[in-house]
Amino acid sequence: MDGRAQQPEEFGTSFEAAFARLQVMLEMVCAGEGSWVERATVAVRRTLEFAVAEPEAATVLTKDALAQGAAGVARYERLMNYLAGLLEGGRAESPQGDELPPTTERTIAGGVATIVSNRVGRGRREGLLDLTPEIVQFVLTPYLGTEQAKRIAAADWPPSQPER
């Protein structure tokens, strides 16, 4: 962003373009091979890479959306619902999937969005990638338990080779 307040129509266009880019990227990851855990781990990494590479888009999708009044909040809610929908597959991977609270996926999506927003908003986006193992563990823990999530999060960090 260039520091000036966006008009609602301009913001809507910016949000929709950023959301579309994020969706395409995540749908490619989620359509890939591997277990839900493997795809979720890659999706977290890609989402953080997206925020680092496109800080303006990350800001529009999070902090700016919430500052846009009812229309912006509705867009943010659509993003959270989309992300929560991607996480719902974790319930099938979890022995206690049926026992998880119905708000689990929304809570996880909101937590990750808050971390991204805070880091990018403070100009510390490069350090965001360093949080990948911690965020992967946060995402996986409700489904797999702390120890297994921690092992998976640390297994290939830093990545052995760049993934693009």
Side-chain angles (χ1 to χ4, degrees):
M1 316 286 9
D2 60 10
R4 66 182 172 82
Q6 287 186 319
Q7 296 300 312
E9 303 81 28
E10 183 182 4
F11 171 79
T13 300
S14 297
F15 183 95
E16 296 304 328
F19 187 32
R21 290 192 305 280
L22 181 64
Q23 274 185 301
V24 166
M25 183 267 304
L26 289 173
E27 286 172 10
M28 287 175 45
V29 169
C30 292
E33 294 183 21
S35 69
W36 176 86
V37 170
E38 292 165 331
R39 291 189 315 271
T41 299
V42 172
V44 168
R45 190 178 300 160
R46 293 287 182 277
T47 299
L48 299 177
E49 289 170 352
F50 174 86
V52 169
E54 297 195 46
E56 294 84 10
T59 300
V60 163
L61 290 171
T62 57
K63 187 172 91 174
D64 289 355
L66 294 173
Q68 285 289 317
V73 169
R75 285 186 168 97
Y76 180 82
E77 289 297 315
R78 187 164 50 98
L79 170 64
M80 292 300 103
N81 288 335
Y82 171 75
L83 296 174
L86 296 177
L87 292 169
E88 286 176 353
R91 289 176 180 267
E93 299 278 326
S94 174
Q96 68 273 5
D98 293 337
E99 299 169 23
L100 292 171
T103 57
T104 298
E105 290 77 17
R106 285 290 305 254
T107 302
I108 295 168
V112 173
T114 299
I115 292 167
V116 168
S117 178
N118 287 341
R119 284 290 179 137
V120 172
R122 293 184 186 146
R124 296 180 4 205
R125 68 180 194 247
E126 289 77 17
L128 189 56
L129 292 179
D130 295 335
L131 296 177
T132 301
E134 184 176 330
I135 295 172
V136 166
Q137 182 181 344
F138 171 72
V139 169
L140 297 180
T141 294
Y143 307 103
L144 306 178
T146 303
E147 291 308 311
Q148 187 177 2
K150 191 175 193 176
R151 273 194 310 279
I152 290 167
D156 187 29
W157 191 257
S160 53
Q161 50 186 304
E163 297 177 13
R164 293 282 172 208

